[in-house]
Each structure stands twice: as structure tokens, then as C-alpha cells.
Amino acid sequence: MTERILIVEDETRLARLLADYLRAAGFATEQLADGREVIAQVRIKPPTLILLDLMLPGRDGLDICRELRSFTNLPIIMTTARVEEIDRLLGLELGADDYICKPYSPREVVARVKAVLRRGRQLDAASTTRLQLDADRLRVRLDEASVELTAVECGLLATLMSAPGRIFSREQLIERSYRDHRIVSDRTIDSHVKKLRRKLAALDPTLESIQSVYGVGYRYEESNAECR
Ligand code: CA
């Protein structure tokens, strides 16, 4: 069955360009430019995935995303013209699966669409996590091996693992992982994540379970061994 992508975008040239690229990648597409038409369209004919622009005539993407999540789990990728918006969107916990900042290359959008769909399939197929976090002992275990973590690394990993697949901004990670609410910078988070990744790689170099999302933050996602 062909996977159908609903493109909600009021810049018609951009929408058409995206549609061309998505069709070339084997997807069927539909386009809507008016925010007021989205909910009805999705209810009548649910697509495989929605690309939802934030600023739309009629009704904004935030509102639409919230209403969609009240009745469906289908993948949503939000697009926005301002990179600063992404932090705010993450903070609102809208439940979108990914965020892309404009200007983007259509090729990148196609890659992100594929990644989100692949992730959905993997989560359906096998949702057992291989890493076992022992927060009391500050250790993480994989099969028979384990490594020690610092309190901060342990907090970071616990936060990321609490919602696999979800993107956490650096701000959210700082808020949730530092119990003493020290003032920390984005750079500090990056260096802790780097150390944490190195420790996890020592358990299994192919794991790559903490992924950075360019310009946004990090997410935890165990790659499915059988799919590699
Ligand atoms: Ca727009």
C-alpha cells in the first residue's frame, strides 16, 4: 500500500516542490493550504504522516497539532520558519514526532519523513529496550556488561529513556537532569552527552542510542539490531 503524506503548507511553491520530491521517493501526496481544513480531511482520509506548517491561514499549526493528538497517533512533523520557535514548541509538549526548521532542503524533509516512519515501524515491531538503567547504583547495564555513570549522566539518560523517540531540548534536559538546579550552559550538556555516549559505546559500539537532532536537542532511540 502506498504511504500517503499530507502536506499542510500555505506557500504553494514550496508545497509543490515537497510533493515532487516525496512522490519521487515513492510516496503519494496531498496538499492543504488552509489550516481550517486539516482536521476534517484527516478524519475522512487519514494519511500515513502529516507535514504540518506552524503559520497557516485560518488556523495555526499549534492548535491543529493539539486537536490531532486528541484523536490520533499518526506521525506529525512540524515545520517552522524560526529556529527559536522549536524550543517553545518542544516546551509545549504537543506530541509532534519531529520538527524541521525553514529554510530546509526538500531532500532533508524526505529523509526525516522516512526516519519518522521507520522509527514508528521499529517501535511497533519490538519495543524492548536493551539498556537497563540502575539509577540507584549509577550504573547502566547491557546484557552481561555494565558501566558506571556520574549522577549527571545518569539523570540525563533517565530523562531521555523516559520517552524513547521524543526529542528533548537542551533546556529541558538541564531542567530535568540536574537535581541541584545549577546554572549550566548548553555546552555543558553537550559535553556530558558526549561522555555518556562514549560509555554506552563501550558497552556496544553499534548502539548509538542517543541521537542529536540538529539545532534542537537529543533523543533516545535504540536501533533495532535486526534491522541493521
Ligand atoms: Ca506558513
Side-chain angles (χ1 to χ4, degrees):
M1 206 177 72
T2 315
E3 293 175 304
R4 223 155 33 79
I5 312 299
L6 175 61
I7 302 166
V8 186
E9 172 59 68
D10 55 313
E11 292 168 55
T12 29
R13 276 184 53 198
L14 184 57
R16 239 178 294 160
L17 187 67
L18 279 179
D20 286 346
Y21 272 79
L22 286 163
R23 278 198 297 266
F27 296 104
T29 61
E30 262 160 50
Q31 295 169 43
L32 282 181
D34 189 319
R36 285 165 294 200
E37 296 167 11
V38 182
I39 299 293
Q41 168 89 358
V42 171
R43 282 193 187 276
I44 294 164
K45 202 176 166 194
T48 316
L49 180 148
I50 306 176
L51 272 172
L52 179 62
D53 192 34
L54 182 65
M55 299 284 280
L56 291 165
R59 191 175 182 196
D60 78 26
L62 278 185
D63 235 33
I64 298 169
C65 190
R66 274 206 195 95
E67 188 169 347
L68 284 171
R69 274 294 170 261
S70 71
F71 69 91
T72 177
N73 274 326
L74 66 86
I76 302 171
I77 298 180
M78 292 205 71
T79 60
T80 163
R82 289 172 46 209
V83 71
E84 311 88 74
E85 274 292 328
I86 293 183
D87 247 0
R88 190 172 75 89
L89 294 174
L90 282 168
L92 293 172
E93 304 193 351
L94 295 169
D97 296 82
D98 206 352
Y99 300 86
I100 305 179
C101 190
K102 292 176 181 175
Y104 46 64
S105 77
R107 225 179 283 270
E108 186 201 346
V109 176
V110 171
R112 303 275 278 267
V113 164
K114 286 182 178 169
V116 165
L117 292 176
R118 192 168 53 234
R119 197 156 72 231
R121 282 192 290 269
Q122 283 177 8
L123 287 177
D124 287 348
S127 55
T128 49
T129 55
R130 291 174 63 212
L131 281 183
Q132 303 292 325
L133 182 64
D134 185 345
D136 295 333
R137 293 197 183 82
L138 298 177
R139 293 193 83 85
V140 62
R141 182 176 303 281
L142 180 83
D143 305 327
E144 299 306 306
S146 73
V147 283
E148 251 173 63
L149 302 175
T150 65
V152 170
E153 289 161 0
C154 188
L156 281 174
L157 189 56
T159 304
L160 288 164
M161 284 179 81
S162 70
R166 189 162 124 205
I167 309 163
F168 289 91
S169 67
R170 289 178 176 79
E171 211 166 81
Q172 286 176 320
L173 287 174
I174 291 168
E175 231 166 69
R176 292 169 197 219
S177 315
Y178 286 80
R179 267 179 226 157
D180 52 359
H181 299 289
R182 269 176 293 163
I183 314 257
V184 282
S185 66
D186 290 4
R187 279 241 185 93
T188 318
I189 280 287
D190 289 343
S191 88
H192 286 300
V193 168
K194 207 167 154 189
K195 283 180 201 148
L196 181 55
R197 272 176 164 164
R198 219 175 287 146
K199 289 184 179 179
L200 298 180
L203 290 174
D204 178 356
T206 67
L207 201 61
E208 288 169 23
S209 50
I210 300 176
Q211 308 179 344
S212 52
V213 183
Y214 183 71
V216 184
Y218 294 98
R219 80 168 133 226
Y220 178 85
E221 183 181 15
E222 273 185 27
S223 45
N224 197 333
E226 295 97 276
C227 294
R228 298 185 77 92

